[in-house]
Amino acid sequence: MEFRSDVITCSGKYSNNQQKLFSYGTAGFRTKADDLETVLFRMGLLAALRSKAKKAHIGLMITASHNPACDNGVKLVDPYGEMMVESWEAHATHVANASDDELAGVLHCIVTEEHITADHTAQVVIGRDTRPSSNTLHAAAVSGVEALGGKVVDCGVVTTPLLHYRVRCANDPSYGVASNEGYTDKLVETFLKLQSCAQPATSCAQPATSCYCQDLLFDGANGVGGLQMAIMAPRISQALKLTIHNGGEGQGVLNYRCGADFVKVSQSWPSGVPATPGSRCVSVDGDADRVVYSYIDELGAYHLMDGDKIATLVVGFLQEQLSEAGLALRLGLVQTAYANGASTAYVNDSLKVPVGFAKTGVKHLHHMALSFDIGVYFEANGHGTVIFSDSASAAIKEAASTDSPAARRLAAVKDLINETVGDAISDLLLVEVILRHRGWGMRDWDAQYHDMPNKLVTVRVADRSVFETTDAERRCTQPAALQPAIDDLLSTSFLHARARTFVRPSGTEDLVRVYAEAATQSHVEELALQVSRLVFDLAGGVGERP
Ligand code: 16G
Ligand code: ZN
């Protein structure tokens, strides 16, 4: 294949004039939007090559998720709607960082290494979020695809999970209709089917807390989730009465003091949503691939229901349905080091369902979940889904063709779930199905287990790349002196045995994260502080010592 320099720079329109180095991390490239135009053009080129290599549709999503409105980002999606394979991440980094003169050589190397031939026309499915910068970046990505003779399937402004769904359907029509409406119809119809078979919602004095209530406040983070929900809410109103807040379009600033990330990190109610005792709220992030719930009890106290609470609810429900349907399928949960220890203990000890631990980042969890017949994976931050193996899907389908209501419910749940990636909207509909099925209010759900007090803090260091971890990031191997010092700290008398802490370098920001969990809030504060100081002292802390 030929790569003429005027073609691969769009006659100089997309030149690499930057000193900045980009790295394709857990969520693709993510940084200030102003720095990304050439990167997006080049990701258009790379997506076209990936499409030729796979002879399939490839996805390209423009978003910076829960990050501030001034940021943006891009990630590529593989044919079955999964994150792009890790071996191509290095290609992405090389392509993004090459000088204009080097670029043709870098592209040639990829073509040779990946045995790409010119005979397949590239097809790239492109989506973007609501950020103001997404339009310009979209134009750059389209130009990149077209520069290599590729075709673009433009999904417009969509949630990240919808883009993943579109890629999957483009390559595997049996998964669903490959259009934005196809996705909406699939979720709406399956949700209504499931709810129409459920117990009627009863009315009681304190609906949100002590029995199932159809009223739900929706916090859209002022992003694309609000737009998608505005389309769906009227169509499901007979089963779920959603009131949309932070719906974007002039209602407030994207991700600012609202949305799933804000709610999870600050453990507080989102601004822009009326806070009345007895109300419950679901928050999604800026691109609607994360979801967390919150409620305010009758006494006015705030409660967070994070990804761990959602995971345990889903695992408990699936386990019960499998047993009712008489299906002996291997169900498992995948968590990360951030999962609250109480949630892990609940799933292991009470539900007797195996729990695996993966490194942070969806691709790691997804990969491990594939080892179960039915793999549930969730990060505490609210990103997660359920995946069914082919044999599990076939067994459920067969059982559903008999008279088993539980098997039919499982089959419908499989349709409701977005197996390609965590999907805030599909996940929240599943949560509602389960709560309604059980007749549970928020307090019933919350009572499954009690979270251990925990805290997440960050430390700035001169070079976060000196950090290395093992055991699904639960132990730090470099800097070498750090883990022994942490172990010493954990063995001191001020902590109870259940205390836990770990240190890991962020994959998306230039800092190191410290997580601490202990029996009391004061122990957590002390542990987080002591570990932050160790990190600062042993790994070249920058700025003020914690
Ligand atoms: C990205 C990941 C998310 C992870 C987060 C960790 C995907 C699609 N997203 O947002 O799963 O929790 O990074 O960020 O993989 P950190 O490395 O900065 O802590
Ligand atoms: Zn997101």
Side-chain angles (χ1 to χ4, degrees):
M1 287 172 69
E2 275 296 300
F3 296 111
R4 278 183 18 214
S5 81
D6 58 332
V7 172
I8 58 172
T9 61
C10 200
S11 304
K13 185 174 176 196
Y14 298 115
S15 280
N16 183 4
N17 306 315
Q18 314 207 36
Q19 298 304 313
K20 190 168 175 153
L21 280 183
F22 298 93
S23 165
Y24 195 98
T26 37
F29 294 114
R30 206 177 277 181
T31 186
K32 295 281 160 258
D34 293 345
D35 294 338
L36 278 171
E37 227 179 312
T38 294
V39 172
L40 261 290
F41 174 78
R42 291 181 173 193
M43 286 308 102
L45 299 175
L46 188 75
L49 289 185
R50 178 88 184 131
S51 172
K52 285 172 176 292
K54 298 299 291 179
K55 298 198 177 5
H57 285 73
I58 290 296
L60 186 155
M61 181 68 198
I62 301 162
T63 181
S65 183
H66 56 281
N67 286 29
C70 57
D71 288 3
N72 216 323
V74 56
K75 59 186 164 198
L76 301 189
V77 175
D78 262 356
Y80 279 84
E82 73 279 36
M83 299 290 172
M84 182 174 71
V85 67
E86 224 163 325
S87 59
W88 274 65
E89 292 182 359
H91 294 333
T93 299
H94 289 145
V95 167
N97 291 321
S99 68
D100 287 355
D101 292 342
E102 292 163 346
L103 184 57
V106 170
L107 296 174
H108 264 300
C109 282
I110 297 172
V111 166
T112 312
E113 204 175 302
E114 304 292 344
H115 312 290
I116 296 171
T117 52
D119 53 357
H120 181 83
T121 302
Q123 314 243 41
V124 181
V125 186
I126 301 186
R128 62 188 191 278
D129 72 10
T130 55
R131 287 178 159 77
S133 57
S134 289
N135 287 333
T136 322
L137 298 181
H138 175 260
V142 170
S143 300
V145 174
E146 291 177 349
L148 295 190
K151 292 209 170 74
V152 168
V153 179
D154 188 1
C155 301
V157 175
V158 288
T159 68
T160 292
L162 203 161
L163 185 275
H164 285 251
Y165 164 92
R166 290 279 310 256
V167 176
R168 172 72 177 262
C169 295
N171 294 306
D172 169 16
S174 72
Y175 196 70
V177 178
S179 67
N180 297 356
E181 296 72 30
Y183 167 88
T184 305
D185 290 348
K186 184 177 182 197
L187 293 194
V188 165
E189 284 159 19
T190 314
F191 178 67
L192 290 178
K193 184 164 103 186
L194 274 157
Q195 295 305 64
S196 69
C197 309
Q199 304 291 330
T202 50
S203 60
C204 66
Q206 271 121 19
T209 51
S210 38
C211 64
Y212 181 69
C213 164
Q214 292 187 334
D215 294 314
L216 180 61
L217 305 169
F218 179 85
D219 161 21
N222 290 309
V224 62
L227 304 185
Q228 178 63 27
M229 211 24 127
I231 298 170
M232 292 174 65
R235 294 183 56 189
I236 56 174
S237 61
Q238 71 213 70
L240 184 62
K241 296 189 177 19
L242 281 157
T243 318
I244 299 175
H245 299 277
N246 300 324
E249 295 200 319
Q251 286 190 33
V253 178
L254 177 70
N255 295 323
Y256 182 67
R257 300 191 66 77
C258 63
D261 191 59
F262 169 80
V263 169
K264 167 68 182 160
V265 173
S266 65
Q267 308 195 9
S268 61
W269 193 257
S271 64
V273 183
T276 31
S279 50
R280 61 190 193 117
C281 174
V282 61
S283 296
V284 306
D285 74 338
D287 61 339
D289 62 355
R290 291 188 190 180
V291 59
V292 298
Y293 275 70
S294 311
Y295 72 99
I296 302 178
D297 66 25
E298 300 77 15
L299 302 173
Y302 170 83
H303 302 265
L304 169 69
M305 306 295 285
D306 63 5
D308 298 336
K309 289 274 180 185
I310 298 174
T312 52
L313 182 77
V314 171
V315 169
F317 174 76
L318 291 174
Q319 186 192 41
E320 176 195 82
Q321 298 305 306
L322 285 170
S323 135
E324 263 181 60
L327 286 165
L329 295 172
R330 280 181 319 113
L331 173 68
L333 172 65
V334 182
Q335 300 188 305
T336 70
Y338 289 110
N340 196 281
S343 73
T344 311
Y346 172 74
V347 175
N348 264 327
D349 305 341
S350 301
L351 299 180
K352 310 266 187 249
V353 168
V355 182
F357 280 88
K359 278 163 63 177
T360 302
V362 170
K363 61 186 176 207
H364 303 297
L365 287 111
H366 191 98
H367 182 75
M368 187 175 275
L370 290 170
S371 63
F372 297 103
D373 291 333
I374 302 180
V376 180
Y377 69 85
F378 259 93
E379 292 188 306
N381 62 26
H383 191 120
T385 190
V386 185
I387 46 186
F388 298 80
S389 70
D390 288 346
S391 57
S393 304
I396 290 170
K397 196 170 167 193
E398 195 189 323
S401 67
T402 68
D403 224 10
S404 161
R408 280 209 287 270
R409 225 172 274 129
L410 283 168
V413 162
K414 183 178 147 57
D415 276 348
L416 187 62
I417 271 292
N418 186 336
E419 290 184 69
T420 64
V421 79
D423 181 335
I425 293 178
S426 126
D427 287 344
L428 84 85
L429 295 177
L430 177 59
V431 166
E432 294 303 311
V433 164
I434 301 172
L435 294 178
R436 168 91 175 253
H437 177 78
R438 294 202 186 292
W440 276 6
M442 298 300 278
R443 198 193 284 286
D444 304 309
W445 175 14
D446 206 2
Q448 283 191 298
Y449 65 87
H450 296 289
D451 271 327
M452 298 269 292
N454 61 89
K455 187 163 181 149
L456 182 59
V457 293
T458 58
V459 184
R460 290 207 176 270
V461 294
D463 179 9
R464 79 185 199 277
S465 71
V466 301
F467 284 78
E468 285 172 27
T469 61
T470 185
D471 192 15
E473 300 178 320
R474 289 176 291 184
R475 294 185 68 78
C476 206
T477 48
Q478 288 293 337
L482 184 59
Q483 192 62 49
I486 291 175
D487 291 342
D488 269 357
L489 190 62
L490 282 172
S491 64
T492 57
S493 57
F494 84 92
L495 293 164
H496 292 286
R498 286 170 72 206
R500 197 167 68 84
T501 183
F502 66 87
V503 175
R504 61 173 280 275
S506 162
T508 63
E509 292 181 78
D510 199 9
L511 38 82
V512 172
R513 301 198 195 280
V514 172
Y515 176 86
E517 187 177 287
T520 67
Q521 196 59 43
S522 61
H523 286 157
V524 165
E525 300 289 340
E526 184 62 18
L527 182 58
L529 179 66
Q530 300 280 358
V531 177
S532 304
R533 285 185 178 157
L534 285 175
V535 170
F536 191 92
D537 295 344
L538 295 172
V542 171
E544 205 178 316
R545 186 172 185 261

